[in-house]
């Protein structure tokens, strides 16, 4: 159990389980993109651990870049992307794979997909480690999903609560 500020969190998914899942996702991508040179775009901050572990298992000729989106205020999705910053690559005609930590309402990823589409990517897929039930809206657009989570607040493995907890190795769930 960990206590961060006013909240208590219990261990939910171990780092070992996460790594097994990450490796399964990487193998699928390796086989689907055989012979291609995809451009991975990791959505910071939350996806930094996932991106690092995933890319270690990718055997393709590939590039990785990072963008940043601020859309989450403490424990509630504000629903509006404030900014998508740091996209320096020309993604025209590229096979893009967006690396997301967690999809909640799906609003963030929908906006990112829209933006990338308008920049003329050849193909765009999403690899998300976690997905919550609310994101049903975008389900058909998500090709690679690690874990389906219940509708609960989680932290660790890159995900924070008010800026804290990103360094935890395992995934934790808010204790009621
Ligand atoms: P959406 O736009 O899909 O509602 O929200 C996606 C973003 O909200 C994620 O990239 C992540 O930053 C944040 N988020 C959603 N659910 C959680 C959660 O349970 N814990 C944490 N720490 N962040 C979350």
């Amino acid at each position: 159990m960990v206590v961060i500020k006013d909240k208590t969190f219990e261990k939910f998914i171990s780092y070992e389980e996460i790594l097994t899942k990450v490796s399964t996702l990487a193998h699928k991508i390796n086989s689907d993109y055989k012979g291609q040179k995809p451009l991975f775009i990791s959505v910071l901050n939350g996806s930094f651990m996932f991106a690092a572990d995933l890319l270690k298992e990718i055997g393709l000729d590939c590039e990785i870049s990072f963008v940043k989106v601020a859309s989450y205020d403490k424990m509630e999705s504000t629903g509006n992307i404030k900014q998508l910053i740091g996209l320096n690559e020309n993604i025209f005609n590229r096979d893009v794979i967006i690396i997301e930590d967690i999809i909640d309402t799906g609003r963030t990823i929908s906006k990112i997909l829209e933006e990338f589409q308008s920049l003329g990517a050849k193909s765009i897929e999403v690899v998300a480690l976690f997905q919550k039930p609310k994101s049903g809206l975008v389900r058909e657009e998500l090709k690679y999903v690690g874990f389906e989570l219940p509708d609960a607040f989680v932290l660790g493995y890159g995900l924070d609560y008010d800026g804290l907890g990103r360094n935890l190795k395992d995934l934790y769930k808010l204790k009621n």
Side-chain angles (χ1 to χ4, degrees), residues 43 46 69 71-72 74 77-79 100-109 132 134-135 149 152-156 159-161 166:
V43 184
V69 172
S71 74
Y72 220 70
K74 286 197 184 164
S77 177
T78 57
E100 253 292 26
D101 47 5
I102 183 165
I103 316 273
D104 184 1
T105 62
R107 287 197 204 104
T108 308
I109 197 65
K132 289 192 189 173
K134 269 187 280 177
S135 54
L149 297 186
F153 187 81
V154 292
L155 100 161
L159 292 164
D160 73 312
Y161 168 47
R166 292 192 196 278

Side-chain angles (χ1 to χ4, degrees), residues 3-170:
V3 177
I4 294 188
K5 295 196 170 170
D6 52 333
K7 308 277 183 227
T8 305
F9 296 86
E10 58 194 353
K11 209 188 229 192
F12 186 40
I13 302 177
S14 72
Y15 181 53
E16 288 69 31
E17 286 173 83
I18 292 173
L19 278 190
T20 305
K21 188 69 87 176
V22 169
S23 165
T24 307
L25 291 170
H27 286 126
K28 274 193 205 139
I29 293 171
N30 283 336
S31 95
D32 291 352
Y33 284 82
K34 208 168 177 191
Q36 287 168 261
K37 196 177 170 187
L39 168 62
F40 287 90
I41 299 198
S42 164
V43 184
L44 297 173
N45 292 332
S47 72
F48 78 99
M49 280 203 188
F50 175 39
D53 285 334
L54 182 77
L55 266 288
K56 284 178 224 165
E57 301 286 329
I58 295 292
L60 304 161
D61 215 7
C62 67
E63 289 170 65
I64 177 143
S65 190
F66 301 86
V67 293
K68 200 163 180 175
V69 172
S71 74
Y72 220 70
D73 185 25
K74 286 197 184 164
M75 298 178 66
E76 242 174 303
S77 177
T78 57
N80 52 351
I81 283 188
K82 287 172 194 138
Q83 243 182 329
L84 181 62
I85 47 174
L87 185 62
N88 301 319
E89 274 65 29
N90 183 0
I91 68 164
F92 181 76
N93 218 19
R94 296 297 309 267
D95 293 303
V96 174
I97 304 175
I98 298 166
I99 304 177
E100 253 292 26
D101 47 5
I102 183 165
I103 316 273
D104 184 1
T105 62
R107 287 197 204 104
T108 308
I109 197 65
S110 298
K111 294 243 174 106
I112 293 174
L113 285 168
E114 243 171 61
E115 181 140 350
F116 282 17
Q117 216 98 51
S118 74
L119 293 171
K122 184 172 159 200
S123 70
I124 309 173
E125 296 295 351
V126 177
V127 55
L129 186 56
F130 305 111
Q131 184 176 28
K132 289 192 189 173
K134 269 187 280 177
S135 54
L137 274 178
V138 288
R139 192 171 298 269
E140 68 280 1
E141 286 165 8
L142 306 180
K143 191 156 182 192
Y144 309 101
V145 175
F147 298 90
E148 304 271 352
L149 297 186
D151 194 9
F153 187 81
V154 292
L155 100 161
Y157 195 69
L159 292 164
D160 73 312
Y161 168 47
D162 206 11
L164 298 171
R166 292 192 196 278
N167 54 313
L168 296 166
K169 220 171 167 180
D170 308 292

